Amino acid sequence: MNKAQVQPLGVKYPGKIESFGRHLRKLREEKGFSQQALADTADIAKLTILRIENGKNAPTLDMLFAICDALEISFQELMNFDSNRE
């Protein structure tokens, strides 16, 4: 990691968090949600959705369940991403 990259506090696997964020963005766009619409439906701040998608925040388990409900997808589908891509 170079000096320009900032690792989120407390995140042990920043590459996996970034991969998850890209996956979430893809799912959100496939469902036709804007970041604001997902935030409103999941009752999560838009800034938090933005940070998750950009790999700057690691979502809590509670947030993951709320995102699943909002996107009407299973937890397995939400977590089915290539976590080895760095």
Side-chain angles (χ1 to χ4, degrees):
M1 180 178 330
N2 65 38
K3 290 182 182 179
Q5 294 174 316
V6 177
Q7 180 175 336
L9 278 178
V11 173
K12 294 182 182 181
Y13 302 99
K16 293 177 192 287
I17 298 300
E18 290 170 7
S19 293
F20 175 78
R22 286 189 295 272
H23 176 65
L24 175 58
R25 178 178 289 125
K26 178 180 163 277
L27 290 172
R28 175 182 59 75
E29 290 173 349
E30 285 174 356
K31 293 286 187 171
F33 279 76
S34 65
Q35 287 179 336
Q36 186 65 60
L38 176 56
D40 291 345
T41 307
D43 195 25
I44 298 171
K46 180 185 176 214
L47 184 57
T48 301
I49 298 294
L50 173 74
R51 288 177 175 163
I52 292 169
E53 288 187 357
N54 288 329
K56 304 300 179 203
N57 269 27
T60 65
L61 188 57
D62 193 53
M63 285 182 205
L64 295 174
F65 288 134
I67 290 168
C68 288
D69 285 348
L71 295 177
E72 298 181 340
I73 60 174
S74 69
F75 187 77
Q76 290 80 8
E77 185 176 353
L78 182 62
M79 299 310 294
N80 186 19
F81 68 99
D82 185 0
S83 62
N84 293 319
R85 258 179 80 193
E86 300 273 338

